[in-house]
Amino acid sequence: MTVFDKSTEGRTGFFLPKEESYGYEPSDVLPENSVRKESPLLPQLSELQVMRHFTGLSEKNYSVDGGFYPLGSCTMKYNPRLNERIASLEGFSQIHPYQAEDTVQGALEVMYNLQNFLCEITGMDSFTLQPAAGAHGELVGMLLMKKYFELKGESNRKKVIVPDSAHGTNPASAVMAGFEVIEVPSNGNGRVDLRSLGEILDENIAGIMLTNPNTVGLFENEICEIQEMAHDKGALLYYDGANLNAIMGHARPGDMGFDIVHLNLHKTFSTPHGMGGPGSGPVGVKSILKDLLPVPVVRFDGSKFSLDYHLPNSIGKVRSFYGNFGVFLKAYAYILTLGGDGLKRASEMAVLNANYLRTRLSKLIPTAYPGLCMHEFVLKGSKLVSEYGVKTLDVAKRLLDYGIHPPTIYFPLIVDEALMVEPTETETKEALDNFADTFERILSEAKEDPNILKAAPQKTVVGRLDEATASRKPKTRWSKDT
Amino acid sequence: MPGFPYLPQTSRDIDEMLEVVGVKSVSELFKDIPEKFEVDISIPESKDEFSVLRDLSELSKNNVTLNDLSVFRGAGVYKHFVPSAVQAIASRGEFLTAYTPYQAEVSQGTLQMLFEFQTMICELTGMEVANSSMYDGASAAAEAALMAVRVRGGKKILLSEALHPEYIQTIKTYCFGSDIDVETVSFDSETGQIDIADLQKKLTVDTAGFVLGYPNFFGIIENLAEIRTRIGEKTMMIVSVNPIALGLLEAPGKFGADIVVGDGQPLGNSPSFGGPGLGFFASKESHIRKMPGRIIGETKDSDGRTGYVMVLQTREQHIRRNKATSNICSNHAFNALVASIYMSIVGSEGLREIARRSFDKAHYLTERISKTDHVRLVFTGPFFNEFVAQFDCDLEEFNRGLLKENILGPLELERFSKEMKNYGLICATEANLNEEIEFFAGRLEAIR
Amino acid sequence: MKKYAATHEWVSVEGKTATVGISDHAQDHLGDIVYVDLPEVGKSLKKGDVFCTIESVKAASDIYAPISGKVIEVNEELDSSPEKINEDAEGSGWIAKIEMSNESELDSLMDLEAYKKHCEEEG
């Protein structure tokens, strides 16, 4: 039942201070056609009804707080509550972006220090915190590339190379900055195929977007060669930080020769995913690009923090104000808590957890690529089809019945029936064992009766939903008559 | 071995796991990384949570908080009364720590909430379809401009000069990316509304869209009916709104707007130094396949139970890649939740009352200003709860004085335009009690 | 006369007019079709041009013109009932009628038997 179905005319949960009106009536003062005739149909409920409605909804959600969430590429680690508490301190949450700078020195200090931490962690020279999400950071990175070559008089560089294993946001972001996308295939080891790369790399290429480790969980061990090839042709190297959790504290994209980096504070730095967002996608650059960053930039003169809007070659702004400040605080608190030593340990444990789970699961179905992985790995589900007559989707749905969130499925696109598993460092060995045991149990069910999997899930609040009808004739809002 | 917060592995766990993996040490797992890249980063060492909380609480005190101030400053971020229940419900871990609802069966809470959110946005804006959120109002307006070009073709976007300056900058940046020409349309210096003559002059056959604020940055209410007629059907009317104002102002959909966007911060989200709030995005049903962002739809499961799923995913980057309608992936679903809870508690009557009080208090302030010679109301056009005043004194100095009395005074518009020296943008909401209004009015009248 | 392209479109010829659609094999592969982005009537096509996009829930597939010519009619029923392609891909689920500009192109297309073999080889 929707919140609208529970509504009763005349009921409310909202009470304002009792005050005299000054007597300005909109209908007396405004042009007649500007005054709203019909109230928007918002629900009318008591506070307790609202409480129960949303509590009821929350109970229909799976969450990291509720259980293991090994979604590959999403880094669903624990979201420490200390960070939430800090972000909600009134000195941080109740400040206006247009307050005078001397009344927000604490906020500017957080931003300045966070920028410096991110520079240190990634080996870059300068950071902007403005982008609201990873894809937003990618867009900034691509716009920086565009502006850089425009200023250099090399506007002929209209193409960007993206691996076939890349996240969909990479090609989509490149296109939004006016680039044409060229895919480079992966080789049999799941890495960028250098020969193919050499063939497509020329003077019309603006840059190469890479994720390292890449989306199959492998470190691009030929990164030195790729870097040389790119820079020899005058192209820039872009680092998609989706998988930084694997190498944080061990190796830095800046040292590998990357010119632009975006991070996902909501993955690597433990800020919660909030059902899809808000995230935060800071972008770091080498000094050749620092004057092109979005405005404003936070400066410190030794005694006072300030916002600098005077960057004549800036790409401009990609959103209002300074970025998702509330998210910065959570990432900042996380970095302070773990410290340099803890960040390094976190990535070690992420990689250890992934390899442990990979070893256990690979006894059941093969991994897409042999050998050690970094923080995540990809299983090749084609054996499910050939041996058990079920699909990756069926296994995923059956996992729901066992109260476990399935891995990312059908991504990356280059692996048939892919299952992409990222356990993260905050999971115990027991949780990993439970996942592997459950997976094994599901495979034996598949052997006995594949229909159990095909009919799954049975224990969730709804079963498999009719997505085809939903997309054919989309009903995207509640209405009174239905 | 020292322990670290949030890392549960005991040394025994580590040994057992290494043995199963078949390696001797953790460092062996990193053998693919060329040795020359190994670094020791220089970040202070780990701390317990109590120390971090103490340090950051101290740091937070270097900020003056709105809770200690009478706030007469808006300009895109507004102080409103927010019921305690909003934060209490939203902070539930089942909302906070869930991912994007890719597994619909275990995400019905998220999906139904967003479906309800879409409905509320449609109701507010008078539009047929809404998505489940964007990053903020500015980027939503920029995405609307790109969508207008997708739907209408053409290579030009017109922007009202009275649109929020940060929105203008954002749209220009997005249009730089997509090689779209941008021109601005000036406002009438008397009324503060769009200069219709300038609009008609700049309107060409390849103008895909015209973006304007409602109310605009100066608080002025544009004549949407006239603008709709003047720009014709070929150019999309893209209206950026303050959602609270729509408790009282006619919905843009009623005037034939093609896309309505806005920032949802005023709907229960904390100011948070400007983020995260949320962007909302609504349009007509006929354009739904050209919209950016996630859209939730209602459907049934095999037993006929009602459920919700993401629909029209083929528009999105994870499927369509370089042909997607946008690159947006993460959105601001959590802030959409906050907005939904807020709208559910205040209801239609509550929203109307918030808007009415904001309107009433702001208009009373202009009445008081009319009694002094040292502060002048700049525009004659109709306004909602913000207006521009020209000060006879140094506005920055005036504001410094106000701050000593715990008042956040008018926003100095000089920061956006040199010509607006000592012009202040004044805002009132229901959160300014009458006694604050009286006190502030007294300060305005005391200018000599 | 009915012929098939390697990219899984079919062509049925009557005089100078060719009716085109996607093969039953192709619709089966795509799964539940939810939307068909039909070409504009009057549009000129070269063999191999993308002339239509068919969407299932989780994929969008480009459909290539099997022959050159001008679009003279589209199957507007697909707007409201895209599932027609699932139900009857090679009949009432046709996509467009094309006035052919080069009939000799038909020679390079496959007959049913050759097409079946082609599908088997593709796996």
Side-chain angles (χ1 to χ4, degrees):
Chain A
M1 209 189 212
T2 69
V3 73
F4 304 100
D5 296 305
K6 298 172 183 173
S7 175
T8 301
E9 185 67 36
R11 191 173 285 155
T12 183
F14 187 66
F15 300 90
L16 283 170
K18 294 191 174 68
E19 279 196 307
E20 288 282 316
S21 161
Y22 289 111
Y24 284 89
E25 271 307 313
S27 50
D28 298 342
V29 182
L30 298 179
E32 196 260 328
N33 72 350
S34 297
V35 181
R36 189 156 193 144
K37 313 287 176 299
E38 224 175 293
S39 282
L41 201 142
L42 298 179
Q44 303 183 55
L45 304 167
S46 72
E47 183 174 318
L48 176 57
Q49 280 183 300
V50 174
M51 201 58 137
R52 286 192 182 145
H53 177 73
F54 285 95
T55 301
L57 289 184
S58 77
E59 286 164 351
K60 295 179 182 176
N61 268 4
Y62 195 92
S63 63
V64 175
D65 281 6
F68 188 41
Y69 217 133
L71 267 181
S73 196
C74 303
T75 316
M76 298 298 285
K77 59 171 79 177
Y78 173 58
N79 309 125
R81 285 315 195 274
L82 165 68
N83 305 350
E84 299 304 312
R85 188 165 168 192
I86 284 167
S88 62
L89 291 170
E90 64 172 350
F92 288 134
S93 67
Q94 300 301 320
I95 48 176
H96 194 284
Y98 289 149
Q99 278 179 234
E101 281 174 2
D102 56 356
T103 68
V104 288
Q105 285 293 299
L108 294 175
E109 185 172 339
V110 167
M111 290 174 64
Y112 185 80
N113 289 347
L114 180 59
Q115 285 175 10
N116 287 343
F117 280 165
L118 298 181
C119 282
E120 177 62 23
I121 290 167
T122 57
M124 304 306 281
D125 298 323
S126 210
F127 252 91
T128 174
L129 302 177
Q130 193 172 112
H136 209 207
E138 292 175 23
L139 175 61
V140 166
M142 291 296 107
L143 293 171
L144 290 169
M145 262 189 204
K146 182 173 187 161
K147 187 89 184 188
Y148 173 74
F149 286 117
E150 207 176 273
L151 292 171
K152 242 180 138 200
E154 295 181 30
S155 299
N156 55 303
R157 294 184 184 267
K158 290 207 182 303
K159 296 176 186 174
V160 165
I161 297 175
V162 173
D164 57 3
S165 62
H167 298 117
T169 50
N170 288 178
S173 301
V175 166
M176 280 180 83
F179 291 111
E180 186 191 324
V181 175
I182 304 186
E183 267 196 6
V184 59
S186 304
N187 63 25
N189 297 319
R191 277 121 172 155
V192 171
D193 186 66
L194 290 202
R195 182 185 293 184
S196 310
L197 181 64
E199 281 164 12
I200 52 177
L201 201 51
D202 63 22
E203 277 70 27
N204 294 317
I205 302 293
I208 307 176
M209 297 181 92
L210 289 179
T211 311
N212 198 15
N214 63 23
T215 60
V216 295
L218 300 173
F219 192 84
E220 294 283 352
N221 50 3
E222 293 177 305
I223 185 63
C224 299
E225 289 80 355
I226 295 173
Q227 185 268 126
E228 270 173 35
M229 287 167 73
H231 287 154
D232 275 355
K233 294 283 183 195
L236 295 174
L237 209 52
Y238 183 94
Y239 182 87
D240 175 334
N243 294 341
L244 186 76
N245 207 44
I247 61 167
M248 161 177 77
H250 281 268
R252 311 192 300 176
D255 299 339
M256 298 172 208
F258 284 95
D259 304 290
I260 309 173
V261 164
H262 94 256
L263 302 179
N264 298 283
L265 298 186
H266 48 292
K267 295 181 180 177
T268 318
F269 300 99
S270 86
T271 78
H273 286 76
M275 305 168 284
S280 175
V283 170
V285 294
K286 290 285 172 62
S287 57
I288 49 163
L289 293 159
K290 74 173 173 22
D291 295 335
L292 277 54
L293 288 176
V295 284
V297 174
V298 188
R299 307 258 189 231
F300 182 54
D301 66 3
S303 62
K304 189 175 177 299
F305 297 91
S306 60
L307 293 165
D308 182 359
Y309 286 85
H310 303 288
L311 265 70
N313 286 328
S314 162
I315 56 163
K317 290 185 71 65
V318 291
R319 55 159 295 162
S320 53
F321 314 118
Y322 324 117
N324 284 339
F325 178 72
V327 181
F328 307 160
L329 288 161
K330 299 176 194 183
Y332 186 58
Y334 178 73
I335 294 172
L336 286 177
T337 307
L338 277 190
D341 45 345
L343 293 178
K344 183 170 184 173
R345 194 66 180 166
S347 65
E348 287 175 352
M349 292 303 106
V351 173
L352 177 62
N353 271 2
N355 274 291
Y356 175 71
L357 192 56
R358 175 188 58 78
T359 310
R360 284 213 54 190
L361 289 178
S362 63
K363 294 185 177 123
L364 306 171
I365 54 173
T367 53
Y369 302 96
L372 295 172
C373 65
M374 297 298 290
H375 67 306
E376 68 187 2
F377 58 93
V378 179
L379 299 169
K380 203 171 166 182
S382 42
K383 186 186 167 187
L384 298 168
V385 181
S386 59
E387 251 176 63
Y388 304 100
V390 297
K391 292 180 168 181
T392 284
L393 180 73
D394 303 320
V395 174
K397 296 303 182 195
R398 186 62 180 153
L399 275 165
L400 298 176
D401 277 337
Y402 285 101
I404 293 178
H405 198 284
T408 298
I409 53 175
Y410 299 103
F411 183 83
L413 308 175
I414 56 169
V415 177
D416 204 21
E417 296 283 319
L419 288 125
M420 185 191 205
V421 190
E422 180 181 6
T424 84
E425 70 276 13
T426 55
E427 295 299 329
T428 59
K429 179 171 172 292
E430 300 91 283
L432 306 179
D433 283 331
N434 180 51
F435 181 72
D437 293 345
T438 306
F439 208 93
E440 194 169 358
R441 191 174 316 145
I442 290 174
L443 291 190
S444 54
E445 285 177 349
K447 201 171 247 172
E448 283 164 26
D449 181 6
N451 287 326
I452 297 176
L453 277 67
K454 287 178 185 164
Q458 298 287 342
K459 295 181 181 166
T460 46
V461 290
V462 288
R464 287 194 206 186
L465 292 151
D466 181 355
E467 294 188 74
T469 304
S471 277
R472 275 180 195 142
K473 298 186 173 63
K475 185 187 174 202
T476 64
R477 57 154 297 169
W478 180 88
S479 52
K480 223 179 210 164
D481 29 296
T482 47
Chain B
M1 183 195 314
F4 289 99
Y6 323 129
L7 302 179
Q9 297 80 1
T10 64
S11 52
R12 192 171 152 185
D13 289 336
I14 293 173
D15 290 343
E16 284 177 13
M17 287 159 83
L18 286 172
E19 201 185 319
V20 170
V21 176
V23 294
K24 293 200 173 54
S25 67
V26 170
S27 59
E28 210 181 317
L29 298 171
F30 288 80
K31 69 176 175 46
D32 274 343
I33 303 180
E35 217 168 292
K36 65 174 179 181
F37 294 140
E38 275 293 327
V39 283
D40 270 317
I41 51 170
S42 162
I43 302 262
E45 67 172 29
S46 57
K47 283 197 187 96
D48 63 287
E49 74 161 289
F50 311 103
S51 306
V52 173
L53 178 62
R54 184 196 60 220
D55 293 352
L56 290 183
S57 298
E58 272 312 304
L59 187 59
S60 77
K61 290 172 191 151
N62 292 354
N63 300 325
V64 178
T65 105
L66 299 182
N67 287 357
D68 293 336
L69 300 172
S70 282
V71 180
F72 292 94
R73 190 171 290 203
V77 171
Y78 300 90
K79 181 179 173 179
H80 288 286
F81 286 131
V82 179
S84 311
V86 174
Q87 206 43 50
I89 302 171
S91 62
R92 290 182 69 91
E94 297 88 340
F95 290 129
L96 194 65
T97 72
Y99 194 67
T100 304
Y102 284 120
Q103 294 292 341
E105 298 90 339
V106 290
S107 310
Q108 285 301 302
T110 298
L111 289 160
Q112 184 179 330
M113 178 278 287
L114 293 172
F115 177 80
E116 292 172 358
F117 169 77
Q118 290 172 182
T119 307
M120 294 182 202
I121 295 300
C122 287
E123 281 294 325
L124 277 185
T125 57
M127 303 300 284
E128 292 163 345
V129 289
N131 75 15
S132 66
S133 77
M134 310 291 284
Y135 310 133
D136 74 334
S139 62
E143 289 270 15
L146 302 191
M147 176 170 147
V149 170
R150 271 198 301 282
V151 174
R152 294 282 194 245
K155 264 292 171 200
K156 188 163 109 177
I157 291 290
L158 289 179
L159 305 180
S160 156
E161 242 172 51
L163 186 62
H164 194 301
E166 303 218 17
Y167 285 43
I168 293 179
Q169 285 177 297
T170 303
I171 296 169
K172 282 184 172 171
T173 307
Y174 272 68
C175 286
F176 160 71
S178 296
D179 301 304
I180 295 166
D181 299 329
V182 177
E183 257 191 281
T184 53
V185 177
S186 55
F187 55 87
D188 184 310
S189 58
E190 198 160 302
T191 62
Q193 291 174 314
I194 288 296
D195 178 343
I196 295 286
D198 195 47
L199 171 62
Q200 287 200 301
K201 202 170 77 193
K202 286 174 176 157
L203 199 68
T204 52
V205 283
D206 66 343
T207 305
F210 174 47
V211 191
L212 74 163
Y214 178 75
N216 68 24
F217 182 59
F218 305 122
I220 303 292
I221 302 163
E222 301 281 5
N223 187 342
L224 294 186
E226 174 163 22
I227 291 165
R228 174 77 275 178
T229 318
R230 298 297 178 112
I231 64 174
E233 287 302 315
K234 202 169 174 316
T235 299
M236 281 192 154
M237 183 161 89
I238 301 167
V239 184
S240 169
V241 298
N242 172 351
I244 297 290
L246 297 182
L248 194 152
L249 299 186
E250 188 56 281
K254 286 267 194 244
F255 298 104
D258 296 286
I259 306 175
V260 179
V261 295
D263 198 289
Q265 180 275 329
L267 300 170
N269 282 284
S270 57
S272 250
F273 207 36
L278 72 131
F280 52 84
F281 193 110
S283 188
K284 295 180 173 171
E285 188 129 40
S286 52
H287 303 314
I288 191 169
R289 288 176 189 276
K290 303 279 187 193
M291 278 170 64
R294 287 183 197 123
I295 302 175
I296 312 305
E298 189 188 287
T299 188
K300 299 255 189 258
D301 74 358
S302 44
D303 294 332
R305 287 175 291 198
T306 297
Y308 303 88
V309 291
M310 296 196 278
V311 296
L312 308 177
Q313 291 187 60
T314 45
R315 297 166 301 112
E316 293 187 68
Q317 48 75 30
H318 63 283
I319 290 176
R320 205 55 154 263
R321 299 174 79 82
N322 54 332
K323 290 180 184 159
T325 55
S326 167
N327 70 339
I328 191 168
C329 179
S330 285
N331 55 16
H332 279 211
F334 183 79
N335 303 95
L337 166 71
V338 170
S340 294
I341 302 168
Y342 176 84
M343 286 189 273
S344 299
I345 293 180
V346 304
S348 40
E349 278 312 300
L351 187 76
R352 217 193 93 77
E353 181 59 15
I354 293 163
R356 199 197 58 74
R357 288 194 187 199
S358 304
F359 175 91
D360 183 55
K361 290 167 195 271
H363 280 75
Y364 172 70
L365 276 175
T366 61
E367 178 189 318
R368 293 287 294 265
I369 285 172
S370 69
K371 292 174 184 157
T372 158
D373 293 336
H374 300 279
V375 187
R376 179 182 75 90
L377 191 62
V378 173
F379 299 116
T380 58
F383 68 97
F384 171 56
N385 73 330
E386 285 181 289
F387 57 90
V388 180
Q390 186 186 9
F391 288 73
D392 234 2
C393 60
D394 184 309
L395 182 56
E396 279 190 44
E397 200 185 306
F398 178 64
N399 273 329
R400 275 194 293 275
L402 289 177
L403 196 61
K404 287 186 188 137
E405 300 186 283
N406 297 326
I407 293 170
L408 183 59
L411 177 67
E412 303 92 349
L413 292 181
E414 194 188 351
R415 66 183 287 155
F416 304 111
S417 161
K418 288 265 172 292
E419 289 142 34
M420 292 203 161
K421 187 163 173 58
N422 296 328
Y423 280 50
L425 181 63
I426 301 176
C427 170
T429 72
E430 87 289 355
N432 300 106
L433 297 180
N434 286 355
E435 59 196 71
E436 297 172 34
I437 297 278
E438 295 297 338
F439 189 86
F440 177 57
R443 285 294 171 269
L444 293 173
E445 285 170 348
I447 295 173
R448 289 287 174 263
Chain C
M1 180 177 59
K2 194 169 191 180
K3 290 215 153 186
Y4 295 84
T7 45
H8 305 287
E9 296 82 13
W10 56 265
V11 184
S12 168
V13 180
E14 236 174 276
K16 282 192 81 77
T17 303
T19 305
V20 300
I22 63 164
S23 69
D24 191 53
H25 173 84
Q27 75 73 22
D28 190 51
H29 200 76
L30 288 174
D32 288 337
I33 289 164
V34 301
Y35 181 66
V36 183
D37 191 8
L38 291 166
E40 271 172 50
V41 172
K43 195 178 172 175
S44 285
L45 300 169
K46 274 215 297 284
K47 184 178 184 220
D49 285 352
V50 172
F51 82 108
C52 165
T53 307
I54 295 186
E55 295 181 10
S56 60
V57 173
K58 297 255 163 77
S61 310
D62 289 336
I63 308 301
Y64 301 93
I67 36 126
S68 305
K70 198 168 90 177
V71 179
I72 51 172
E73 193 184 338
V74 296
N75 186 357
E76 276 165 15
E77 257 189 85
L78 296 178
D79 271 338
S80 53
S81 308
E83 63 274 16
K84 277 233 162 344
I85 294 183
N86 291 122
E87 291 158 5
D88 188 13
E90 303 199 17
S92 63
W94 62 276
I95 296 170
K97 295 193 181 192
I98 295 174
E99 189 180 273
M100 291 184 287
S101 57
N102 182 1
E103 285 167 61
S104 68
E105 285 170 352
L106 290 168
D107 300 339
S108 62
L109 300 175
M110 294 174 262
D111 61 18
L112 180 61
E113 207 159 306
Y115 176 67
K116 272 187 177 162
K117 212 170 146 212
H118 168 73
C119 293
E120 272 167 35
E121 279 163 10
E122 267 194 351

